[in-house]
Amino acid sequence: MERKIDLKDIKIKDRFWSERQKLIKDVVIPYQEKILNDEIPDVEKSHALTNFRIAAKMEEGEFYGMVFQDSDAAKWLEGVAYALCVEADSALEARADKVIESIAKAQQPDGYLDTYFIIKEPEHKWQNLQECHELYCAGHMMEAGAAYYEATGKRTLLDVVERLADHIGSLFGPGKRSGIPGHQEIEIGLMRLYHTTGKEKYRELAQYFIDERGKDPDFFKKEAEQRGWKHFDMDPLDTKYNQSFLPVREQETAEGHSVRAVYMYTAMADIAAVTKEKALTEACERLWDNITRKRMYVTGGIGSTVDGEAFTIDYDLPNDSVYAETCAAIGLVFFARRMLNLSVDRKYGDVMERALYNGIISGMQMDGKRFFYVNPLEVNQGVSGKLYGYRHVVVPRPEWYACACCPPNVVRLLMSLGGYGWGEDADTVYSHLYLGGEASLGHGTVTVKSMFPYEGDVTYQIAPREGKETFAFAIRIPAYAKNVRITLNGREMNVDGGMKNGYFYLSRTWETGDKVRLAFDLPVRRIYANTAVRANAGCVCLMRGPFVYCFESIDNGSELSALRIPADAAIRTEVCEEGLLKGMPLLKLDGVRMHGSGELYFEERPNAEAVTLTAVPYFAWGNRSNGDMRVWMLEK
Amino acid sequence: MERKIDLKDIKIKDRFWSERQKLIKDVVIPYQEKILNDEIPDVEKSHALTNFRIAAKMEEGEFYGMVFQDSDAAKWLEGVAYALCVEADSALEARADKVIESIAKAQQPDGYLDTYFIIKEPEHKWQNLQECHELYCAGHMMEAGAAYYEATGKRTLLDVVERLADHIGSLFGPGKRSGIPGHQEIEIGLMRLYHTTGKEKYRELAQYFIDERGKDPDFFKKEAEQRGWKHFDMDPLDTKYNQSFLPVREQETAEGHSVRAVYMYTAMADIAAVTKEKALTEACERLWDNITRKRMYVTGGIGSTVDGEAFTIDYDLPNDSVYAETCAAIGLVFFARRMLNLSVDRKYGDVMERALYNGIISGMQMDGKRFFYVNPLEVNQGVSGKLYGYRHVVVPRPEWYACACCPPNVVRLLMSLGGYGWGEDADTVYSHLYLGGEASLGHGTVTVKSMFPYEGDVTYQIAPREGKETFAFAIRIPAYAKNVRITLNGREMNVDGGMKNGYFYLSRTWETGDKVRLAFDLPVRRIYANTAVRANAGCVCLMRGPFVYCFESIDNGSELSALRIPADAAIRTEVCEEGLLKGMPLLKLDGVRMHGSGELYFEERPNAEAVTLTAVPYFAWGNRSNGDMRVWMLEK
């Protein structure tokens, strides 16, 4: 059983991540706070904090926003909590306390907390689980409450969400009324409360919602008939959309709304790690395999269609009409991290890394001020954002959204990154990522100097808690790592001998000052897709380390589909010397541009013109221009 | 000025087309007649003929069907008229007479004729030109009236439509109320009446509707505001949809609903050929070039998106989410034929041939009982017809449609094919296609033995009307023809010397028995698309003669995107020896199937397995199975 990690004990000093955490702390969190307070002109109005003050009777006014508007405040608070773990900030904390104060005052005497229904439709509480997100918002508030308590030791919000959880537990459960959320999240929130408070009742309630789902696929249909009113006009018969088509343990494939799906799988894995239940564990493994082996973009993005923001079918991974919502990739990381609790296997860490370095951070503009909801792998002028089937593929990143789920999700994930990079149980310390900095864990403190992701060179210096302690130190070795070398205090280790499920285990009695150095080569890799992925037929994708690369028209001219990567082209890494991408490793290669006759259809084989091609890390695309972009390139 | 051709004077005895005309005569027309009479169970109810009998007070009942249901009856009658030209059939003619009788009785004393408004909403006549298709239905009825008169000499329907045209002319025009149809067709119908009756007023009214269009882009908006009711909820501001965004002479690109567009261009070209107006002629040429050089599928299909059944932007030609409505390709042939009246150039004949042998007849199942509305160039199991963006790509061909525009359109085109194959003016007889059979024209009779489209071998035997006459005989030489040989009475001609705009002209005093033989090679051609067509990047399409070929999974296995056509593969023509495609030339080649590691993403370059590939003519696809299909194949 994994030990709980206190985020405050992990300090990230990392070439790649430190500047991103700083950006979020300095720019994104204050920017989002201003948005939540409606202080930024010409941006979608939020009203999220005002709603709480109105519900608390601290202000007069009407509810404004989506039925799940409360979750924006909750996610911001959770992000603030993690930011306070990264670096103390008493002014920010004071402002967060004020927000929490209004939330606490908004809570009803029975524990109920949802400003939409408190202000607007109190007579409709709990009648529309399918559409109205009460349980979803509650789940996010629970995560915020637990996080804020852990960060600050302050119990106000934790007490609020415990009362809220108890209120929900008084209504739903075995022998009470039955219910499942239309958008999963309460299960994660309750498990978070369970981990923080140790109270079994929260795990039991989380498990109730998981167990109940799909038992009666007509649940939402009956609910809709009973209440006789609608909020969004969602189809209660579309049971795949919200994964209620089958009991969760019987589900074989990842279906429906991808964020709902991975949030649910996250909770399932979390519960399974506690209960050790075989059927639930196997369902998690099956769904994991289905996603990552058949339904995941090379960027870690998931969700192939805008229609229901959903999974489609195996190997259907269109690059241009893709959805790949930022939140879904984040949810996949949540799921991956919980799977690592179930069993330590690099396949989970590798996917976590894939999503983190590509399809998640692509969601945020490099200045922290604009965000993608949709993360395409191909953008074409005149088509993306404009034509039917592509209207959702908006370029550039918008400033904010009416449904602003993604930006605060990026914040809370990246500010709690330490918890994804490290793991620990009774016997072992795990380095899942290669985060530079310092991790003070139960077994001792590990200080890391990391050149990753730019180079495969990471040095761990270990200081056991009592100066000397016996435990295993396990490092994920990514599947792509070439020529892996590991030294212990300068002495070469037998890497193959120490490998288990993709982790290298070094089991010994550690002494202060012991140094483990991991080195591996990071050549540029040509990646091919399964032949069943028709969108990528004939194409190659370039990767180096965790980075997927892409080609933008600003570097390579228009008509990216006319470019070819020769099969024998040598690919050079060059550090970008100027501009916004300064310091980033770019790829340069001798490519080819095809030229036809100019006619629409013609018989003469197109000519190949030699051209130098430049690829940039995928996450950085769309920062210098709003031109075309392509990840998968035709090989020649 | 082109002379009018009497369809009865052209007899088609052609390897390819005769069996299709027979199928239409024996199967399709009777089948459609049964559908119009609602005698086929489990097929979309039509009620089209009943509507006329109800409007005529010959029966009691309610209107049923689309607001343009009348046009199905009109198009069927037009097809019947052409069928009677191909072969007399007194029983069919008698049944058509009965239908015409009910139409004549349905006509109102003032000339009005539209069963929807006569039966259902008489108070709403002419109020909703944008949505309600009164002018559209009138146009189709005019075509039917003229055709039926020409076929049988019977004036009943011609008189009806003249009264209808006069009624419309009494309402709309300079100094009267202004109006333009929401769906163009009346312009074609009026020009048809003009050509048949010689009455200038019909050309003038046609031209009025053309000239009026786009003069006031807010016309439909104002109309909608004035009437205050809706039929379809179409957006009156979407002026591109119905080509009212600009005056027609100022339009640079083919925009909006593709059938509306080409119907309009057809009428424009028809009018321009009469009036010789430069601005209108240039608009036609510009729109022709835009379509055929930037917005046309290799099959002759047009309309890249289901969204508005419309053109999109230059070079946007997706193969799998394509629309390419059968009617639109038919409309392109209408347009092409009228352009040939404006100037004889093979570019028009070549496109006419492309659409006829590919994207039009693909619309009809080989048994004549099922029809495509949408003609895809790529079909994928689990995607086509199922997923968002592809739901309109229905396989197999459905039996009938609620909006049944395409099946009768195929009928009327193919039964009047003679008019597309031949042309004549004061100096010249034109062979636009290579139809076998006999054409009795003004200058004389031409008897044709044609091996086309299977071989490039056509012999024309000429019998001048007076035994001896001086005129030019001009034959289109398709752009793809290789090694063209032409002999006159066995004597080799200088082909290059006689070429003008892609036609070979033989000008002389012809005597009875003169023989012209055209021969050219029909090698398999590798066709490439403009590099701006991203859907076809890296791909090749195989053609032989006019036929586009495609690969079906029934011949080549699943995952057609994993197949490659080596650049140096020899391609053999083999006549199919059994089954439904018996007698058809198939293509066989040594191709390659790529095999990956089985993982979703992997580093090892996929292996190439040698496989024999089979391609079938595109029009014949989806007749033996409902599997995958692809026209454009990756080249290796």
Side-chain angles (χ1 to χ4, degrees):
Chain A
M1 185 65 198
E2 187 160 19
R3 287 185 187 168
K4 206 162 166 353
I5 287 177
D6 187 338
L7 266 190
K8 292 194 297 299
D9 292 336
I10 298 184
K11 298 293 169 204
I12 296 178
K13 271 193 193 166
D14 185 277
R15 287 183 63 174
F16 189 81
W17 292 112
S18 290
E19 61 177 277
R20 279 170 181 80
Q21 287 200 333
K22 184 169 165 24
L23 179 76
I24 289 175
K25 179 87 174 42
D26 294 349
V27 177
V28 185
I29 287 178
Y31 178 76
Q32 295 185 350
E33 189 182 356
K34 282 202 178 105
I35 282 179
L36 292 179
N37 280 306
D38 301 312
E39 289 169 3
I40 304 211
D42 304 324
V43 159
E44 282 282 353
K45 180 173 158 183
S46 163
H47 209 254
L49 300 185
T50 311
N51 288 334
F52 280 104
R53 290 194 298 272
I54 294 167
K57 301 197 187 299
M58 299 161 74
E59 258 181 52
E60 297 270 301
E62 295 297 315
F63 179 91
Y64 175 88
M66 307 292 274
V67 73
F68 44 79
Q69 205 76 351
D70 286 4
S71 64
D72 287 355
K75 283 197 278 188
W76 178 78
L77 277 173
E78 190 187 348
V80 167
Y82 300 143
L84 296 174
C85 294
V86 170
E87 192 183 7
D89 180 336
S90 56
L92 176 63
E93 187 172 332
R95 295 200 302 279
D97 286 341
K98 281 217 134 188
V99 171
I100 289 169
E101 190 192 322
S102 69
I103 293 172
K105 282 193 184 157
Q107 188 168 38
Q108 306 292 288
D110 62 0
Y112 185 86
L113 180 62
D114 186 297
T115 68
Y116 178 88
F117 287 98
I118 293 172
I119 301 171
K120 212 169 165 179
E121 300 180 20
E123 73 282 13
H124 283 163
K125 287 176 189 170
W126 303 124
Q127 290 179 10
N128 190 342
L129 300 184
Q130 187 207 347
E131 298 180 314
C132 284
H133 291 69
E134 284 159 294
L135 294 171
Y136 170 87
C137 289
H140 274 303
M141 203 56 86
M142 289 171 197
E143 290 203 84
Y148 203 76
Y149 166 72
E150 286 168 359
T152 64
K154 294 176 180 169
R155 292 201 56 100
T156 309
L157 192 58
L158 183 65
D159 290 343
V160 165
V161 295
E162 284 209 59
R163 279 196 300 275
L164 174 57
D166 293 340
H167 174 60
I168 292 168
S170 75
L171 298 173
F172 299 97
K176 300 163 204 167
R177 61 184 283 191
S178 57
I180 51 172
H183 192 317
Q184 299 90 323
E185 160 63 27
I186 180 94
E187 304 88 340
I188 292 178
L190 286 165
M191 286 305 291
R192 188 82 164 82
L193 272 193
Y194 162 74
H195 290 303
T196 298
T197 65
K199 296 177 183 170
E200 275 293 327
K201 60 181 175 180
Y202 299 135
R203 185 197 55 74
E204 284 164 9
L205 188 55
Q207 180 153 352
Y208 165 76
F209 285 122
I210 290 292
D211 293 350
E212 191 66 11
R213 192 165 217 88
K215 262 192 192 163
D216 177 6
D218 284 340
F219 174 79
F220 289 128
K221 178 169 166 272
K222 291 173 187 163
E223 190 200 46
E225 286 163 2
Q226 205 178 340
R227 77 175 168 264
W229 57 273
K230 293 171 182 181
H231 185 88
F232 283 122
D233 204 16
M234 286 179 177
D235 180 2
L237 299 179
D238 186 0
T239 54
K240 279 205 171 170
Y241 177 72
N242 51 41
Q243 299 78 37
S244 66
F245 60 105
L246 266 182
V248 302
R249 289 168 184 78
E250 295 170 31
Q251 298 188 20
E252 301 275 342
T253 50
E255 301 293 343
H257 187 263
S258 54
V259 174
R260 282 170 167 81
V262 285
Y263 277 23
M264 178 173 91
Y265 309 152
T266 297
M268 285 163 63
D270 206 343
I271 293 166
V274 175
T275 61
K276 314 283 180 211
E277 184 203 324
K278 189 159 171 269
L280 194 59
T281 303
E282 285 173 353
C284 290
E285 285 167 351
R286 213 161 50 225
L287 292 163
W288 174 268
D289 283 351
N290 179 247
I291 293 177
T292 58
R293 303 188 64 173
K294 295 180 178 167
R295 302 187 176 195
M296 179 184 71
Y297 287 91
V298 72
T299 55
I302 51 174
S304 297
T305 179
V306 62
D307 183 37
E309 312 182 311
F311 290 105
T312 56
I313 58 173
D314 288 349
Y315 302 116
D316 178 54
L317 294 161
N319 296 305
D320 49 4
S321 61
V322 49
Y323 206 69
E325 182 179 338
T326 307
C327 283
I330 289 171
L332 183 61
V333 170
F334 295 161
F335 184 23
R337 185 65 188 83
R338 303 315 192 278
M339 290 307 285
L340 278 171
N341 290 1
L342 271 172
S343 67
V344 175
D345 190 311
R346 77 164 160 218
K347 68 182 180 181
Y348 305 120
D350 281 6
V351 164
M352 201 159 75
E353 183 186 276
R354 182 188 291 277
L356 276 168
Y357 285 95
N358 298 290
I360 290 173
I361 54 171
S362 60
M364 186 169 75
Q365 194 162 281
M366 286 170 63
D367 63 6
K369 291 192 173 168
R370 289 174 168 267
F371 298 86
F372 276 139
Y373 204 97
V374 169
N375 293 276
L377 283 78
E378 179 182 330
V379 162
N380 297 288
Q381 293 295 305
V383 174
S384 308
K386 295 211 163 62
L387 299 184
Y388 168 83
Y390 306 93
R391 296 213 175 98
H392 59 289
V393 184
V394 177
V395 181
R397 292 166 180 85
E399 287 181 292
W400 200 253
Y401 293 85
C403 173
C405 49
C406 298
N409 238 348
V410 173
V411 168
R412 69 187 185 124
L413 176 70
L414 296 195
M415 295 314 276
S416 61
L417 192 63
Y420 296 84
W422 294 98
E424 189 180 29
D425 59 26
D427 310 314
T428 312
V429 167
Y430 300 97
S431 172
H432 300 307
L433 304 171
Y434 311 103
L435 304 178
E438 202 177 275
S440 300
L441 302 167
H443 293 292
T445 296
V446 187
T447 307
V448 189
K449 281 194 180 154
S450 175
M451 303 285 279
F452 192 83
Y454 303 110
E455 301 303 331
D457 191 347
V458 191
T459 304
Y460 299 87
Q461 184 161 330
I462 293 169
R465 193 152 291 277
E466 307 297 332
K468 202 168 176 174
E469 196 174 335
T470 304
F471 60 93
F473 185 63
I475 314 170
R476 178 178 61 92
I477 308 300
Y480 59 75
K482 307 280 189 290
N483 186 22
V484 178
R485 290 93 64 199
I486 295 172
T487 58
L488 170 64
N489 297 326
R491 188 164 46 85
E492 197 90 20
M493 300 280 102
N494 171 359
V495 176
D496 288 346
M499 292 294 288
K500 191 180 146 198
N501 297 329
Y503 278 70
F504 177 79
Y505 286 77
L506 241 173
S507 214
R508 67 196 294 270
T509 302
W510 296 91
E511 295 188 24
T512 300
D514 280 345
K515 261 192 195 167
V516 179
R517 183 169 178 183
L518 164 69
F520 49 87
D521 296 350
L522 287 182
V524 176
R525 309 191 306 283
R526 287 174 179 257
I527 304 296
Y528 300 92
N530 192 296
T531 51
V533 182
R534 66 192 176 91
N536 299 341
C539 288
V540 65
C541 155
L542 302 183
M543 291 188 73
R544 182 173 180 273
F547 291 126
V548 170
Y549 277 78
C550 68
F551 294 78
E552 291 191 87
S553 53
I554 189 175
D555 301 310
N556 302 288
S558 59
E559 275 186 36
L560 298 174
S561 64
L563 301 176
R564 303 285 180 275
I565 300 188
D568 57 0
I571 303 172
R572 308 175 290 282
T573 307
E574 257 180 37
V575 175
C576 184
E577 289 185 353
E578 55 184 13
L580 199 67
L581 306 188
K582 194 174 171 176
M584 264 185 219
L586 309 184
L587 304 184
K588 297 270 181 185
L589 62 110
D590 297 329
V592 159
R593 176 177 283 277
M594 304 306 291
H595 292 282
S597 74
E599 293 298 307
L600 181 53
Y601 303 112
F602 52 91
E603 294 183 30
E604 318 76 43
R605 194 180 302 276
N607 293 319
E609 174 203 8
V611 289
T612 300
L613 300 180
T614 302
V616 303
Y618 172 76
F619 76 84
W621 88 272
N623 276 280
R624 297 168 299 154
S625 77
N626 303 318
D628 291 0
M629 183 274 290
R630 241 182 118 102
V631 168
W632 291 94
M633 303 293 283
L634 281 162
E635 213 178 36
K636 192 184 162 67
Chain B
M1 184 66 199
E2 186 160 20
R3 288 186 188 168
K4 204 162 168 354
I5 287 177
D6 186 338
L7 265 189
K8 291 195 296 300
D9 292 336
I10 299 182
K11 297 295 167 202
I12 296 177
K13 270 192 192 165
D14 185 277
R15 288 183 63 171
F16 189 79
W17 292 112
S18 290
E19 63 177 277
R20 277 168 183 82
Q21 287 200 332
K22 185 168 161 30
L23 179 76
I24 289 175
K25 178 86 175 44
D26 294 350
V27 177
V28 185
I29 289 178
Y31 178 75
Q32 294 185 349
E33 190 181 353
K34 283 202 179 105
I35 283 178
L36 292 179
N37 280 306
D38 301 313
E39 289 168 3
I40 303 209
D42 304 325
V43 160
E44 284 281 352
K45 181 173 158 184
S46 163
H47 210 254
L49 301 185
T50 310
N51 288 335
F52 280 103
R53 290 195 298 272
I54 293 167
K57 301 200 187 298
M58 297 161 74
E59 260 181 47
E60 299 269 302
E62 295 296 315
F63 179 91
Y64 176 88
M66 308 293 274
V67 72
F68 45 77
Q69 206 77 352
D70 286 4
S71 65
D72 287 354
K75 281 198 278 187
W76 179 78
L77 276 173
E78 190 188 350
V80 167
Y82 300 142
L84 296 175
C85 294
V86 169
E87 192 182 4
D89 181 335
S90 56
L92 176 62
E93 188 172 331
R95 295 199 302 280
D97 286 341
K98 281 218 135 190
V99 171
I100 289 169
E101 190 192 322
S102 69
I103 294 172
K105 283 193 184 157
Q107 188 167 38
Q108 306 291 287
D110 62 359
Y112 185 86
L113 179 62
D114 186 299
T115 69
Y116 178 87
F117 287 98
I118 292 172
I119 301 171
K120 212 168 167 179
E121 299 180 21
E123 72 283 11
H124 283 163
K125 285 176 190 169
W126 303 124
Q127 289 180 10
N128 191 341
L129 299 184
Q130 187 206 348
E131 297 181 315
C132 284
H133 290 71
E134 284 158 294
L135 294 172
Y136 171 86
C137 289
H140 274 303
M141 202 56 86
M142 289 170 198
E143 290 203 84
Y148 203 74
Y149 166 71
E150 287 169 358
T152 64
K154 293 177 181 170
R155 294 200 55 98
T156 309
L157 193 57
L158 183 63
D159 291 342
V160 164
V161 294
E162 284 209 59
R163 278 195 300 273
L164 174 57
D166 293 340
H167 173 60
I168 292 167
S170 76
L171 298 172
F172 298 98
K176 300 163 204 166
R177 62 185 282 191
S178 58
I180 50 169
H183 192 316
Q184 298 90 324
E185 162 62 27
I186 180 91
E187 304 88 341
I188 292 177
L190 286 164
M191 286 305 292
R192 189 81 162 84
L193 271 193
Y194 162 72
H195 290 303
T196 298
T197 66
K199 295 177 184 170
E200 276 293 328
K201 62 181 178 182
Y202 299 136
R203 185 196 55 72
E204 285 164 10
L205 189 56
Q207 182 154 353
Y208 165 77
F209 285 123
I210 289 293
D211 293 351
E212 191 66 12
R213 193 166 217 90
K215 263 193 190 160
D216 177 7
D218 283 340
F219 174 79
F220 289 128
K221 177 169 168 272
K222 292 172 186 163
E223 191 201 47
E225 285 163 3
Q226 206 179 336
R227 77 173 169 266
W229 57 273
K230 293 171 183 179
H231 185 89
F232 281 124
D233 205 17
M234 287 180 177
D235 180 3
L237 299 178
D238 187 359
T239 54
K240 281 206 171 170
Y241 177 71
N242 51 41
Q243 298 79 37
S244 66
F245 60 107
L246 266 184
V248 302
R249 288 167 186 78
E250 295 171 31
Q251 298 188 17
E252 302 274 342
T253 49
E255 299 294 342
H257 187 264
S258 55
V259 174
R260 282 171 167 79
V262 285
Y263 278 23
M264 179 174 88
Y265 309 153
T266 297
M268 286 162 63
D270 207 343
I271 293 167
V274 175
T275 61
K276 313 285 180 212
E277 184 203 324
K278 189 157 172 273
L280 193 58
T281 302
E282 284 173 356
C284 289
E285 285 168 351
R286 214 159 52 225
L287 292 163
W288 173 269
D289 283 351
N290 180 246
I291 293 177
T292 58
R293 303 186 64 173
K294 295 179 178 168
R295 299 186 178 196
M296 180 184 71
Y297 286 91
V298 73
T299 55
I302 51 174
S304 297
T305 178
V306 62
D307 183 37
E309 312 183 310
F311 292 104
T312 57
I313 58 172
D314 289 348
Y315 303 115
D316 179 53
L317 294 161
N319 296 306
D320 49 3
S321 61
V322 50
Y323 206 68
E325 183 180 338
T326 307
C327 282
I330 290 171
L332 184 60
V333 169
F334 295 162
F335 183 24
R337 185 65 188 82
R338 302 316 194 276
M339 290 306 286
L340 279 171
N341 290 1
L342 272 172
S343 67
V344 175
D345 190 312
R346 79 165 159 217
K347 69 181 178 182
Y348 304 120
D350 281 6
V351 164
M352 203 159 72
E353 183 186 278
R354 183 188 291 277
L356 276 167
Y357 285 95
N358 299 290
I360 290 173
I361 55 172
S362 60
M364 186 170 75
Q365 193 161 284
M366 287 171 63
D367 64 6
K369 292 194 173 168
R370 289 173 169 268
F371 298 87
F372 276 139
Y373 205 96
V374 168
N375 293 276
L377 282 79
E378 180 182 328
V379 162
N380 297 288
Q381 292 296 305
V383 175
S384 308
K386 296 211 162 64
L387 300 184
Y388 168 83
Y390 306 92
R391 293 210 179 101
H392 60 290
V393 185
V394 176
V395 181
R397 292 167 179 85
E399 287 183 294
W400 199 253
Y401 293 87
C403 173
C405 50
C406 297
N409 239 347
V410 172
V411 168
R412 68 186 185 125
L413 176 70
L414 296 194
M415 295 314 275
S416 61
L417 191 63
Y420 296 85
W422 294 99
E424 190 180 25
D425 59 26
D427 309 316
T428 312
V429 166
Y430 300 98
S431 172
H432 299 307
L433 304 171
Y434 311 103
L435 304 178
E438 200 177 276
S440 299
L441 304 167
H443 292 292
T445 295
V446 187
T447 308
V448 189
K449 281 194 179 156
S450 176
M451 303 286 279
F452 193 83
Y454 302 110
E455 300 303 332
D457 191 346
V458 191
T459 304
Y460 299 88
Q461 184 162 330
I462 293 171
R465 191 152 293 278
E466 306 298 330
K468 203 167 177 175
E469 197 173 335
T470 304
F471 61 92
F473 185 64
I475 314 170
R476 178 178 60 93
I477 309 300
Y480 58 76
K482 305 282 189 295
N483 186 23
V484 179
R485 291 94 64 198
I486 295 171
T487 58
L488 169 65
N489 298 327
R491 190 163 46 88
E492 197 91 18
M493 302 279 98
N494 173 356
V495 176
D496 288 345
M499 291 294 289
K500 191 181 147 197
N501 295 330
Y503 278 69
F504 177 78
Y505 286 76
L506 240 174
S507 213
R508 67 193 298 268
T509 302
W510 295 92
E511 294 186 26
T512 301
D514 279 347
K515 261 191 194 170
V516 180
R517 184 169 177 182
L518 165 69
F520 50 84
D521 295 351
L522 288 182
V524 177
R525 309 191 305 283
R526 287 174 180 258
I527 305 296
Y528 300 93
N530 192 296
T531 50
V533 182
R534 66 191 175 91
N536 298 341
C539 288
V540 65
C541 155
L542 302 182
M543 291 188 74
R544 182 174 180 272
F547 291 126
V548 170
Y549 277 78
C550 70
F551 294 78
E552 291 191 86
S553 54
I554 189 176
D555 301 310
N556 302 291
S558 60
E559 276 186 35
L560 298 175
S561 64
L563 301 177
R564 301 286 181 276
I565 300 188
D568 57 1
I571 302 171
R572 308 174 291 281
T573 307
E574 256 180 37
V575 175
C576 183
E577 289 185 355
E578 55 184 13
L580 199 65
L581 306 187
K582 193 173 172 178
M584 266 186 219
L586 309 184
L587 304 184
K588 297 270 180 184
L589 61 108
D590 297 330
V592 159
R593 176 176 282 278
M594 305 307 290
H595 292 283
S597 75
E599 293 298 308
L600 181 53
Y601 303 112
F602 53 91
E603 294 183 29
E604 317 76 41
R605 192 180 303 276
N607 293 321
E609 174 203 5
V611 290
T612 300
L613 300 180
T614 302
V616 303
Y618 172 75
F619 76 84
W621 87 271
N623 275 280
R624 297 168 299 155
S625 76
N626 303 319
D628 290 0
M629 184 274 291
R630 242 182 118 103
V631 167
W632 290 94
M633 303 291 284
L634 281 163
E635 213 178 35
K636 195 185 161 67

